[in-house]
Amino acid sequence: MTHPLDLTAKAIADGIRSGAFSAETVVGESIRRAKVVSQTLNPFAVIREEQALEAARQADLTVARGEATGPLHGVPFAAKDLTPTAGDLTTLGSWTRANWVPTETALCIRRLEAAGAILMGKTTTPEFAFSSFTNSPRWGVTRNPWNPERTSGGSSGGAGVAVATGVVPFAEGTDMGGSVRIPAAFCGVVGLKPSLGRIPMTILPSVFDNISHFGPLARSVADAVAFMETAAGGSDEDIASLPIGFDGSAAQTGGLEGKRFALSIDLGYYAIQPQVEAVIRQAVAEMRRAGAIVDEVAMGWTRAVNDEWFDLWCVFMSAFFGGELTDHRHHMDPSVVSMTERGLAMNATAYKRVELLRTSMWRDMARLFERYDALLCPTCAITAPPATETDDDHAATLPDGRFKGLDLTCPFNMLPQLPALSLPAGFAADGLPVGLQIVGRRFADEQVLSMAAAVEARLTAAGLNAPPMEAAGRSLER
C-alpha cells in the first residue's frame, strides 16, 4: 500500500478535503522521511517540524469546520535556502548570512501557502547558488538518492533529493544556468525553467536581471503543473513579470500524434556520454512510435555559448555578492571568490557584447520553431558525477575539440523567454537517471508541459522511467 503522501499534490489535497486522511498524517510522514534521508543525503538546511505540524493541524480544523480550502490544501512542500521565508533561518548556503531570519516571505512561496500548501523545510544549495554541485561551506555535501557517492546536482540539489525521495511532491527551486533542471536530471524528477516572467522573480537585489527563474522540481508533470497554477502570474513586485495567467488544463491535455520535434544530441559541440545518448535515443524512439515526428538537426553552436554565459554569471555574482569579499573572503567557497573577482574585472563593453551571441542563438531557434514545436536534447551530458568533483572538472575542451561540459542547460538561460523542462527519460547503464530536455517556443510553458506529460505517459507505459519513489525506497531503507 502507498502512503497518502505518495499521491499527486492535487490528490493529496482532495483526500484531505474529503476526510479520507488528515493533513497531519501527510505532513507527519513528510517530516519523518526528511529526517531519515537527512542522515545520509543531507538535503535540508532546516526542517520546520513544529511549524509544519501546527499548520497541518490548522488545515484539518479548517476541513472539520467546513471552511473554504485552497487547491493545495495540506500539501507539504519545500523551499530553497536561497529563498527568504519569514521566521526561518535563511543562509544562501553561506556563512556570510550568519543567522539571518527574514521577516518577509518571497512572493512565490506566499502564493503556494495561500493555496493551502505547507512549507515543511528549506533545502540545501551551494553558496549563493553558484554551482552545479550542491556542496556549501555552510551545509556540506548533498548526495544523490540513487548513489550517495554521486552529486545531487545543483544548485537546487536539496530540492531534487527531497522530491526524489518522496518527502514532498514538489519543491521550489531557482534556475540561473540550469539549477532546477540539472538536479532534476541527476535525481530522476521533473524540473521546469519557466519562461522569464511567468513566475515573478522577487528575491534578487535587481528586478531587471534576465537569466533568473523560479521553477518547480516535481515527482511528475502533473505536480509541476500544480505548482505553476499557483505560483505563476504577474505582480508589480517584479516589473519583468508577465501580466498573464497560467492555463493548467492546457498544460495537461494533448498527445504526441503529429507533434514535430527537432533533436540535437550535442547542440553542436558537447561531448555526450554514450550511455546518456542511448537513453535519449530510446526515449525518442518511443515518441516516434506514439506518432511524433522527430528530425535530427545540426545546431552549430560552440563552446562560446557556455563561456559567455559564464561571463554573465560572474558579473551576476560580483554585482550582487561582491561586497562580501571584504569581510568574509576567508570562509567563502574559493570558487565563489574567484568568480566574483572575475566579474569585478569584467569589461562593460564585453559584457554588453554577449547580447550579440544571444541574438544569434535566438535567430537560430526562431528558424527552428518555424518547422518544429520544440527542441529535444539531453539535459546533462553525463549522469551524476562523483560528489567530490567540482564545476572546474567539467569546463575543458577535449582533444577532439568537443566541450567536456556537465549540462546542456545554461544555453537556454541565454534565451530566457524559452521554457525548458527536464523529464526523466530512463536509466543509463550505470543505473543513474537521465533527463530529456524539452525546449519550447517563447512563453509556451503550457505547451511544453503538455508535451512532457504525453512523453511521460508513453515512457511510463513502456517501463522506461521508474517513479522517483524507487529512489525513496532505497534512501529510506538506509
Side-chain angles (χ1 to χ4, degrees):
M1 293 181 64
T2 60
H3 192 278
L5 179 58
D6 301 332
L7 302 171
T8 65
K10 289 290 187 70
I12 292 171
D14 289 343
I16 292 169
R17 271 192 296 269
S18 70
F21 43 82
S22 69
E24 188 170 5
T25 296
V26 172
V27 172
E29 175 65 6
S30 177
I31 298 296
R32 186 193 72 80
R33 293 181 184 183
K35 290 181 177 180
V36 173
V37 301
S38 291
Q39 295 172 20
T40 53
L41 304 181
N42 188 34
F44 287 98
V46 173
I47 297 176
R48 304 176 75 251
E49 180 173 9
E50 183 178 336
Q51 303 97 312
L53 287 172
E54 176 57 27
R57 287 188 284 268
Q58 291 301 316
D60 289 331
L61 286 174
T62 296
V63 172
R65 291 192 292 257
E67 297 173 358
T69 60
L72 298 175
H73 189 75
V75 176
F77 77 102
K80 191 173 178 177
D81 186 33
L82 188 74
T83 303
T85 55
D88 298 318
L89 178 67
T90 302
T91 73
L92 288 66
S94 177
W95 288 110
T96 66
R97 289 304 181 270
N99 294 311
W100 181 44
V101 176
T103 57
E104 296 183 3
T105 296
L107 176 62
C108 178
I109 307 305
R110 296 201 313 268
R111 286 178 167 175
L112 293 167
E113 291 182 320
I118 294 173
L119 180 63
M120 55 70 55
K122 303 293 290 291
T123 58
T124 49
T125 179
E127 188 166 36
F128 306 141
F130 87 95
S131 177
S132 303
F133 293 75
T134 297
N135 180 4
S136 75
R138 188 73 180 257
W139 303 109
V141 177
T142 298
R143 300 180 179 276
N144 192 291
W146 300 95
N147 181 345
E149 298 304 312
R150 304 297 185 99
T151 182
S152 62
S155 63
S156 305
V161 175
V163 173
T165 56
V167 175
V168 289
F170 59 67
E172 170 263 331
T174 61
D175 192 312
M176 289 82 167
S179 287
V180 163
R181 291 159 289 156
I182 294 167
F186 285 168
C187 293
V189 301
V190 175
L192 172 67
K193 175 192 79 71
S195 303
L196 186 72
R198 292 302 297 265
I199 300 176
M201 172 51 69
T202 61
I203 65 172
L204 302 177
S206 167
V207 293
F208 292 93
D209 178 77
N210 69 359
I211 63 170
S212 301
H213 312 250
F214 282 120
L217 295 95
R219 287 199 297 236
S220 65
V221 174
D223 286 329
V225 171
F227 181 104
M228 290 295 294
E229 286 178 318
T230 297
S235 168
D236 282 346
E237 291 188 35
D238 176 11
I239 192 173
S241 64
L242 301 175
I244 59 175
F246 180 85
D247 185 351
S249 61
Q252 299 179 75
T253 58
L256 292 173
E257 182 73 35
K259 293 289 185 184
R260 300 184 62 89
F261 296 91
L263 168 67
S264 175
I265 292 294
D266 61 6
L267 297 183
Y269 63 103
Y270 276 89
I272 306 296
Q273 273 185 346
Q275 63 174 349
V276 169
E277 179 173 353
V279 172
I280 296 299
R281 291 196 180 280
Q282 184 179 45
V284 166
E286 284 298 323
M287 294 173 64
R288 287 179 172 136
R289 279 190 278 272
I293 299 164
V294 185
D295 296 330
E296 199 148 354
V297 300
M299 293 300 295
W301 292 352
T302 71
R303 179 181 168 169
V305 172
N306 298 69
D307 291 341
E308 296 196 26
W309 170 83
F310 187 66
D311 286 340
L312 295 182
W313 189 223
C314 289
V315 172
F316 176 104
M317 298 297 291
S318 64
F320 297 155
F321 303 111
E324 306 293 349
L325 294 182
T326 301
D327 295 329
H328 299 289
R329 177 190 296 262
H330 63 288
H331 57 201
M332 291 171 65
D333 188 304
S335 294
V336 172
V337 173
S338 175
M339 290 169 59
T340 302
E341 291 179 332
R342 176 183 170 91
L344 290 169
M346 183 76 178
N347 177 280
T349 300
Y351 176 81
K352 187 67 174 175
R353 282 180 177 156
V354 176
E355 293 177 14
L356 302 181
L357 174 61
R358 297 175 81 173
T359 299
S360 175
M361 293 172 67
W362 165 241
R363 288 174 177 158
D364 290 339
M365 292 299 294
R367 284 190 293 270
L368 183 146
F369 288 133
E370 290 174 0
R371 295 186 58 198
Y372 299 102
D373 296 301
L375 170 69
L376 305 176
C377 65
T379 306
C380 292
I382 60 176
T383 58
T388 53
E389 293 187 358
T390 70
D391 294 287
D392 290 341
D393 294 311
H394 300 274
T397 297
L398 298 172
D400 64 358
R402 291 270 157 181
F403 177 52
K404 185 188 175 184
L406 182 142
D407 64 88
L408 285 74
T409 56
C410 71
F412 302 104
N413 292 81
M414 296 278 269
L415 303 170
Q417 290 82 4
L418 305 185
L421 181 145
S422 181
L423 181 74
F427 290 82
D430 62 5
L432 293 172
V434 172
L436 171 67
Q437 188 168 210
I438 305 173
V439 183
R441 293 186 174 96
R442 56 197 181 105
F443 309 122
D445 298 67
E446 290 92 339
Q447 184 184 33
V448 165
L449 285 159
S450 174
M451 291 185 288
V455 178
E456 179 183 62
R458 181 74 190 194
L459 297 181
T460 299
L464 296 179
N465 57 347
M469 286 307 300
E470 188 173 311
R474 296 186 186 191
S475 300
L476 294 172
E477 288 169 3
R478 293 192 179 100

